[in-house]
Amino acid sequence: MSVLVYIENRNGKFKKSTYEIVSYGKRLANGLGSSLTLLSIGRVAEDELKNLGAYGAGKILSAETDAPLDDKAYASLIASAAQNSGATLVVMAHNVTGKALAPRVAVRLNAGLVSAVNGLPVSYQPFVVSKKAFSGKSLMQAEITSDIKVITLSQNTAGIETFAGEALIEKIDTSSMTSGTKVVSTEVQTGKILLSEADVVVSGGRGMRSADNWKPLEELAGVLGAATACSRPVSDEGWRPHHEHVGQTGKVVAPNLYFALGISGAIQHLAGISSSKVIVAVNKDPEAPIFSAADYGIVGDLQTVLPKMTEAFRKLKASS
Amino acid sequence: MNILVCISNVPDTTTRIKYSADMKSVDYSGVQWIINPWDELALTRAIELKEAHPALVQKITVITAGGADAEPTLRKALACGADDAIRVDAPGGDSLFTATQLAHAVKGEPFDVILCGIESSDYNGSAVGGMLAELLDYNSVSAVSSLNLEGNSVKVTREIDGGKQSIETSAPVVLIVQKGIAINPRIPSMRGIMTARTKPLKVVAAAAASPGSKVVGYQAPPQKSACKMIDPENIDELVHLLHTEARVI
Ligand SMILES: Cc1cc2nc3c(=O)[nH]c(=O)nc-3n(C[C@H](O)[C@H](O)[C@H](O)COP(=O)(O)OP(=O)(O)OC[C@H]3O[C@@H](n4cnc5c(N)ncnc54)[C@H](O)[C@@H]3O)c2cc1C
């Protein structure tokens, strides 16, 4: 019996979310009285894999391949690894990759799937997990009743723990992988902090007035080392790219700190930000609903408040 | 080419969620039902493609698994521009149950491109599309933000971890779509509403299927404490509180 965690690399490197999911897998294995096996697909140097030992990695299956993500091929590889390692629980991150692969893996293993799970299970026997439902308006507990179980973990809900131990690497064969999709081109975001993994997010709404006004917002983001985001009308208008759209129909984010600048706080926007640890709102309307979701609020005009904020944070950063 | 759009019938996004007294189920009384927002965008793109390539796209079918109470939502999809509809007469279940019902109705039918929204706004499962693809043994591409058809080739843009990719694939394929696939959802016209009444809506019996999970109960999310208001003339106070009280910078 074991827990299998799929770990994703970006250009051969692991991210903070990988350490979270590995140490989460270890805690699950402990809770179930079983062992942890990791599966890496792609080319990752041995040192980078070995580093995962400190987060609880026991055995690491390394499927070295240059094959880009293909839902069917990757899911098939993960499902066979699960079968070969006798996994009764398969875990993936609830990100674009996990969303693509976990459902296919679940079908292959004839397993129940609960996605976007918050942290550790409520109980192991029966296996009950907690997750948000109705886009954050409700919390739900679900029991997975099948013998083999698949879950995806909501980012930043389990935290990172370290363990003593060493990782053992075993290469697995990828020669039978075939792909039904062809990658024509890949565009990687470089030099920018990615919204999905940022600790601080600076987000603007229609109250920013126009695309040209984004410069001061980006300046604040620069000072804070933050990712930039926006509300839906802002991306619909083309002021900002779609991948910055946060909310019910865009991205769900869970940073430590979220700035809502000129965002009214519609329920569909809140659906994407309610897992943020701290929310700061700036709005000229004291009645804006965003203030009932925020922890700190400023009633004022962004034209004057935003530059002042940037200065004040710059001062703090310079002194610390 | 025939396009199938999977539709989830969900409460309007502004619905306040109420529960049964024992907190074991959601109380849907008085709820307004809508096409799941992502499915609505998928349908919109399907209609755009049919308009742009009338010789290539023959038919748009919409499908849902659910009770008779889901039919008004299917009719709305027909009013938007779908040609016919299928309802698999299956009560609610988890994603595995739902995908099994859809696969049962679709298997052997000549659908070339199957579109699913990346998430359903009720249980936020992000699972039915991928499961359906696996059950049908079709290729799938998830997190698709643009879709074009050229002859037999299906060209999409998908979001990947840290960027995006242009992908080419061929029918039959399941595409799991997100924001960007279309911008403004199609709204039914008066004429659309009239013609929708007589468009075919086929009811298919449910397949034998067992779910892989079940809901144990619900809780309301924890209440937020009151917002601390800060004087716009005293931004240093905000910085100070974020640094020393909230400790997030
Ligand atoms: C099915 C559905 C799904 C949706 N999904 C999403 C989603 O995923 N994400 C999303 O964001 N929205 C979503 N929406 C839209 C949502 O309902 C709101 O319309 C949207 O969030 C409003 O965006 P906003 O706050 O930027 O703009 P507005 O509501 O126009 O608010 C602008 C705010 O800026 C303030 N303001 C104006 N000028 C200034 C100034 N100079 N200084 C300071 N403040 C100023 C105003 O007081 C106002 O509060 C969805 C809607 C539907 C129906």
Side-chain angles (χ1 to χ4, degrees):
Chain A
M1 212 169 75
S2 82
V3 174
L4 182 83
V5 174
Y6 169 65
I7 50 173
E8 185 181 20
N9 72 83
R10 187 182 302 149
N11 301 323
K13 297 280 178 232
F14 293 124
K15 305 158 281 179
K16 206 178 92 188
S17 57
T18 312
Y19 304 136
E20 181 181 30
I21 202 164
V22 171
S23 83
Y24 174 69
K26 178 64 178 174
R27 284 170 276 166
L28 286 173
N30 289 346
L32 289 164
S34 69
S35 62
L36 172 65
T37 305
L38 306 180
L39 171 65
S40 159
I41 305 180
R43 298 211 182 266
V44 183
E46 198 165 310
D47 284 356
E48 186 73 8
L49 290 169
K50 285 259 177 201
N51 282 342
L52 298 177
Y55 302 97
K59 188 154 125 192
I60 305 179
L61 305 173
S62 175
E64 292 194 337
T65 174
D66 295 314
L69 175 65
D70 173 83
D71 294 6
K72 197 172 168 185
Y74 270 48
S76 146
L77 191 67
I78 296 169
S80 331
Q83 274 157 343
N84 294 338
S85 61
T88 50
L89 177 62
V90 178
V91 185
M92 283 178 241
H94 192 66
N95 58 14
V96 279
T97 321
K99 285 180 199 174
L101 302 178
R104 296 199 75 129
V105 171
V107 166
R108 285 203 166 234
L109 298 173
N110 204 7
L113 162 69
V114 175
S115 49
V117 164
N118 291 325
L120 289 168
V122 178
S123 106
Y124 286 97
Q125 203 51 267
F127 194 80
V128 178
V129 289
S130 165
K131 66 164 288 176
K132 287 186 173 178
F134 298 97
S135 304
K137 285 188 280 188
S138 178
L139 285 173
M140 175 176 118
Q141 293 191 351
E143 178 187 343
I144 306 184
T145 46
S146 51
D147 293 339
I148 301 179
K149 300 162 176 60
V150 179
I151 57 176
T152 62
L153 174 69
S154 276
Q155 262 180 47
N156 277 341
T157 61
I160 297 172
E161 279 185 28
T162 55
F163 296 88
E166 224 176 284
L168 213 93
I169 301 164
E170 186 185 309
K171 298 233 160 92
I172 59 169
D173 183 33
T174 58
S175 56
S176 61
M177 273 178 100
T178 53
S179 175
T181 57
K182 187 174 128 223
V183 176
V184 180
S185 64
T186 302
E187 207 178 297
V188 187
Q189 261 195 64
T190 48
K192 273 200 117 182
I193 293 155
L194 292 170
L195 184 52
S196 53
E197 50 205 47
D199 289 328
V200 182
V201 173
V202 180
S203 186
R206 204 139 56 177
M208 293 293 296
R209 293 281 167 71
S210 77
D212 305 333
N213 289 341
W214 240 266
K215 213 166 168 53
L217 186 149
E218 287 188 319
E219 220 168 302
L220 173 62
V223 168
L224 291 167
T228 50
C230 65
S231 69
R232 168 162 154 178
V234 166
S235 66
D236 284 358
E237 290 288 334
W239 297 355
R240 300 297 290 178
H242 290 308
H243 61 79
E244 288 200 357
H245 160 191
V246 163
Q248 168 131 42
T249 45
K251 286 211 167 64
V252 173
V253 296
N256 286 330
L257 179 56
Y258 184 87
F259 286 88
L261 308 178
I263 293 175
S264 58
I267 186 97
Q268 296 95 350
H269 188 79
L270 300 181
I273 67 169
S274 62
S275 294
S276 308
K277 203 168 147 213
V278 173
I279 296 173
V280 175
V282 183
N283 199 299
K284 64 174 190 186
D285 173 11
E287 303 296 325
I290 189 71
F291 289 121
S292 32
D295 300 278
Y296 300 98
I298 295 177
V299 176
D301 194 313
L302 280 161
Q303 298 244 340
T304 54
V305 175
L306 185 49
K308 280 193 207 164
M309 281 171 64
T310 307
E311 264 335 290
F313 285 113
R314 205 192 297 278
K315 235 171 33 197
L316 173 82
K317 292 285 174 184
S319 69
S320 59
Chain B
M1 188 175 268
N2 296 318
I3 302 180
L4 178 73
V5 184
C6 301
I7 301 276
S8 176
N9 179 38
V10 297
D12 181 273
T13 50
T14 55
T15 306
R16 215 174 58 90
I17 305 301
K18 298 174 292 178
Y19 308 94
S20 61
D22 62 3
M23 294 300 280
K24 288 197 189 306
S25 57
V26 172
D27 172 5
Y28 287 115
S29 59
V31 163
Q32 290 269 10
W33 296 88
I34 60 165
I35 302 174
N36 177 43
W38 288 273
D39 306 345
E40 195 178 30
L41 293 177
L43 175 62
T44 300
R45 185 63 191 147
I47 297 166
E48 288 170 0
L49 286 169
K50 190 173 173 223
E51 286 168 356
H53 311 283
L56 183 61
V57 181
Q58 271 100 36
K59 198 170 79 165
I60 300 170
T61 302
V62 289
I63 187 170
T64 195
D69 50 354
E71 287 190 7
T73 296
L74 282 180
R75 289 276 173 214
K76 188 184 166 200
L78 292 171
C80 290
D83 298 296
D84 60 3
I86 304 170
R87 178 172 70 81
V88 189
D89 190 24
D94 72 341
S95 45
L96 189 59
F97 178 85
T98 305
T100 307
Q101 297 303 339
L102 297 176
H104 152 76
V106 167
K107 209 162 230 161
E109 297 289 328
F111 295 114
D112 303 287
V113 174
I114 300 180
L115 302 178
C116 292
I118 194 161
E119 188 176 312
S120 184
S121 64
D122 46 8
Y123 293 100
N124 312 124
S126 297
V128 169
M131 286 181 166
L132 178 59
E134 191 64 45
L135 289 163
L136 296 171
D137 198 25
Y138 287 1
N139 287 309
S140 61
V141 186
S142 182
V144 167
S145 59
S146 86
L147 162 62
N148 283 296
L149 302 174
E150 268 174 44
N152 231 359
S153 139
V154 177
K155 300 190 166 185
V156 302
T157 307
R158 88 180 299 178
E159 184 182 343
I160 52 164
D161 173 53
K164 55 185 182 181
Q165 259 173 358
S166 298
I167 305 265
E168 239 180 86
T169 185
S170 54
V173 66
V174 176
L175 303 175
I176 298 140
V177 309
Q178 63 178 19
K179 176 70 190 297
I181 188 80
I183 305 296
N184 293 313
R186 243 346 130 91
I187 300 164
S189 63
M190 226 24 235
R191 202 176 146 256
I193 296 169
M194 300 299 289
T195 54
R197 291 188 193 147
T198 53
K199 284 181 178 172
L201 192 163
K202 182 168 85 177
V203 179
V204 175
S210 43
S213 64
K214 61 176 188 208
V215 176
V216 176
Y218 295 89
Q219 270 172 285
Q223 286 279 326
K224 265 246 170 193
S225 50
C227 181
K228 248 187 210 174
M229 298 311 290
I230 288 147
D231 183 350
E233 297 304 323
N234 192 6
I235 305 280
D236 285 341
E237 170 75 3
L238 173 70
V239 175
H240 178 74
L241 287 171
L242 290 176
H243 188 56
T244 59
E245 184 182 78
R247 294 167 183 269
V248 285
I249 51 168

